[in-house]
Amino acid sequence: MEKVEFESLPLPDQVLQGIRDTGFTHCTPIQAKTLPHALEGKDVAGQAQTGTGKTAAFLIAMFTKLLRNPIEEPKPGAWVAPRALAIAPTRELAIQIERDANALGKHTGLKIVCIYGGVDYDKQREQIRKGVDVLIVTPGRLIDFYKQKFFSLKSIEVLVIDEADRMFDMGFIKDLRYILRNISPYNKRQSMLFSATLNHRVMELCYEHMNDPIPIRIEPEKLVVDKVDQKMFHVGSHEKFSLLLGLLKEEQGDKVLIFTNTKAEAENLESRLQYNDYNAAQISGDLPQKKRIKTLERFTEGELDILIATDVASRGLHIDDITHVINYDLPQDPEDYIHRIGRTARAGKRGDAISLACEEYVDNLVRIEETLTVRIPVEWPEESMFEEEKPGHPPRRKPRSFAQRRQSGDQNRGGRPPRRTGSGGSGGRGSSGSGGGGGRPPRGRKPNQRRRSGPPRSGTSSSAN
């Protein structure tokens, strides 16, 4: 595909200056296919993976439309009426969009505000009261403010729905439809939707709430880049944490991202790794927002060596220089596996992706390898790779009260209690985990797994925590 320069596109000078400041010169494939249609004011539905430049694509189109149609400055005390709305499924993605919007829109003079759950209402309310042109939101918090009649959505000129497929997966589709019913009509605004897949559910949403959208599909050249070195170890649940300690000691990664399937297991790993003298912290769905942002900043800046995350909490993460991704639990969804290991080997660098297949989650391997169309290389752990835990037990977490949970909020909904979804770190079924954190005992090894003689290692049994 022939490369397209941003300078060749009919963009306002203010937008071009923001693009120059960020160092961008040529369009990515999704930008090259999307922008010609979007700059003409047409609705688009784009299929693109994370990291392909889709955020810049819709922000450039959004800023261009708003600058081409200037409006008078609202009078003091006038009804707050945002002109553009960008909806994201998670707080992290909303924050990332805000960061990119501030960089690309630096010279536009447009007022950009981001609101999401887990942050004090008054602070966000004051931001909106000062005026807003571009409102970046998560569904729950937007609805909370809208029902308080704090602003109008009838003046929306540009609507963006990012990661639409995750809206379905995370149970936010009813909230999204409520929002779409209460904003300006589909033929009075420009709409852009982006999703990792334009499946039947997503396209049905497009045809129902958009104005004859143009579908644009960018298929990734490869699901996994060549510079990700994948390998997998078959291991029993009761030996899993011991092997993790051995791998951390052997690999000596500078920046390690560990994925679990549940919030409870993420908290369990955080306690046990810290007890074993590792600089580790976790982010999960109901972690207070200020602590969550601080943890991500510490990991990004290199102050934190190990970050533990669930899939729900990790959506929208863009962190450079991650040397290792470890799947402590094999994910149920193959797309989550691809998303996880794609956090490393970014910007042309190499990275390692290590998966631990225990009897709890090994059945997920079939779907993962079918999606990858290749087998993940298997290595058998040697005796020396298992590292003993420190004697004793890490301190148990004090159960959080319902009031504390309401105060921290779930990942999008401010003070509302967390949703239960059954997987992905929401505390639903299976939240007991599998790595020695009080989960069910091992159900026996698979025939092709190496047997270990003797009793379980000290401190690594499932009752150790």
Side-chain angles (χ1 to χ4, degrees):
M1 181 177 179
E2 184 179 352
K3 290 188 176 181
V4 177
E5 293 185 356
F6 285 108
E7 299 285 347
S8 67
L9 297 173
L11 300 174
D13 290 338
Q14 302 96 312
V15 176
L16 281 173
Q17 186 58 50
I19 294 172
R20 295 187 193 111
D21 289 348
T22 57
F24 298 149
T25 57
H26 293 81
C27 296
T28 65
I30 186 65
Q31 293 166 355
K33 284 194 172 184
T34 300
L35 284 173
H37 298 294
L39 293 176
E40 292 178 357
K42 297 177 182 178
D43 288 9
V44 295
Q47 174 180 301
Q49 302 292 326
T50 300
T52 56
K54 58 184 173 66
T55 304
F58 66 69
L59 287 174
I60 290 170
M62 175 191 292
F63 293 153
T64 298
K65 184 175 180 64
L66 297 184
L67 291 173
R68 285 176 177 172
N69 301 285
I71 61 172
E72 294 183 5
E73 187 73 18
K75 298 179 181 180
W79 187 258
V80 177
R83 300 179 61 197
L85 181 67
I87 308 174
T90 66
R91 293 181 285 198
E92 284 69 31
L93 183 55
I95 293 170
Q96 181 66 40
I97 294 172
E98 179 191 26
R99 188 179 300 119
D100 292 344
N102 285 327
L104 288 168
K106 180 179 179 180
H107 304 280
T108 63
L110 297 170
K111 298 176 182 178
I112 300 166
V113 175
C114 183
I115 60 173
Y116 43 83
V119 176
D120 187 86
Y121 272 96
D122 293 336
K123 182 179 179 180
Q124 294 183 343
R125 186 180 290 114
E126 184 60 28
Q127 284 182 293
I128 297 173
R129 183 177 288 114
K130 293 178 181 178
V132 53
D133 295 304
V134 178
L135 188 59
I136 303 164
V137 302
T138 52
R141 181 53 61 98
L142 174 64
I143 292 175
D144 288 344
F145 274 119
Y146 179 74
K147 287 186 174 179
Q148 295 176 40
K149 301 186 183 302
F150 192 61
F151 50 71
S152 170
L153 295 176
K154 297 300 183 182
S155 298
I156 295 296
E157 300 171 42
V158 184
L159 168 71
V160 173
I161 302 172
D162 199 9
E163 294 203 2
D165 53 334
R166 299 300 295 178
M167 296 286 187
F168 287 93
D169 296 342
M170 297 171 67
F172 297 142
I173 193 59
K174 289 185 178 178
D175 290 344
L176 182 59
R177 290 187 184 279
Y178 174 85
I179 295 167
L180 293 173
R181 288 195 301 268
N182 285 278
I183 66 173
S184 53
Y186 71 91
N187 58 346
K188 299 294 184 181
R189 65 171 190 262
Q190 180 180 9
S191 302
M192 292 175 278
L193 176 145
F194 291 86
S195 176
T197 57
L198 293 181
N199 55 37
H200 174 74
R201 295 185 304 174
V202 173
M203 291 308 297
E204 184 179 46
L205 184 72
C206 293
Y207 294 134
E208 184 178 353
H209 295 283
M210 297 174 69
N211 188 16
D212 194 18
I214 299 171
I216 297 171
R217 291 179 170 84
I218 302 295
E219 298 291 346
E221 295 181 3
K222 292 186 178 180
L223 292 176
V224 179
V225 297
D226 291 332
K227 293 186 178 182
V228 177
D229 183 15
Q230 301 179 71
K231 58 185 173 183
M232 181 175 57
F233 295 95
H234 288 280
V235 61
S237 294
H238 63 289
E239 297 174 315
K240 204 171 174 182
F241 186 74
S242 179
L243 178 58
L244 175 63
L245 290 179
L247 289 170
L248 291 174
K249 181 178 180 180
E250 179 180 297
E251 297 288 334
Q252 295 185 343
D254 294 328
K255 192 178 286 187
V256 181
L257 179 57
I258 300 176
F259 283 101
T260 66
N261 287 354
T262 65
K263 170 178 65 73
E265 190 61 272
E267 293 173 346
N268 172 46
L269 279 186
E270 179 185 43
S271 297
R272 296 176 78 179
L273 286 172
Q274 289 177 354
Y275 184 72
N276 283 272
D277 302 322
Y278 280 96
N279 183 18
Q282 62 87 23
I283 55 170
S284 54
D286 61 354
L287 192 70
Q289 184 65 15
K290 288 185 178 179
K291 184 175 180 181
R292 190 153 148 166
I293 293 174
K294 181 62 177 176
T295 300
L296 288 172
E297 288 177 348
R298 289 176 57 211
F299 186 62
T300 300
E301 295 169 3
E303 297 176 11
L304 185 67
D305 300 324
I306 300 172
L307 179 67
I308 307 153
T310 58
D311 290 303
V312 170
S314 69
R315 286 288 167 178
L317 288 186
H318 298 279
I319 299 173
D320 294 330
D321 302 324
I322 293 176
T323 58
H324 292 74
V325 168
I326 298 178
N327 291 308
Y328 192 75
D329 299 329
L330 277 179
Q332 297 175 348
D333 188 340
E335 289 185 5
D336 285 335
Y337 176 87
I338 295 169
H339 170 80
R340 290 179 180 187
I341 69 174
R343 301 307 94 196
T344 188
R346 299 171 75 88
K349 299 180 180 179
R350 301 201 67 84
D352 291 283
I354 303 172
S355 299
L356 307 185
C358 67
E359 65 272 13
E360 185 79 15
Y361 298 111
V362 72
D363 290 343
N364 300 337
L365 181 59
V366 175
R367 294 190 298 275
I368 292 172
E369 292 186 331
E370 285 178 350
T371 301
L372 294 175
T373 68
V374 296
R375 300 291 297 274
I376 302 172
V378 174
E379 295 186 13
W380 300 100
E382 300 293 334
E383 188 76 21
S384 61
M385 294 179 64
F386 292 87
E387 187 76 10
E388 298 286 352
E389 288 190 69
K390 285 177 63 174
H393 302 281
R396 290 185 177 274
R397 287 183 176 272
K398 183 179 179 181
R400 302 174 69 200
S401 67
F402 182 69
Q404 288 173 317
R405 290 183 180 275
R406 284 180 59 86
Q407 185 176 6
S408 65
D410 74 348
Q411 65 178 337
N412 284 314
R413 295 182 166 275
R416 300 183 189 180
R419 292 171 179 256
R420 292 180 177 271
T421 60
S423 65
S426 60
R429 293 183 182 179
S431 62
S432 59
S434 59
R440 60 186 179 188
R443 297 177 294 183
R445 297 180 179 279
K446 298 290 180 181
N448 64 342
Q449 286 185 269
R450 184 176 66 88
R451 292 182 177 273
R452 289 173 46 82
S453 60
R457 292 176 171 270
S458 173
T460 59
S461 68
S462 60
S463 61
N465 194 36

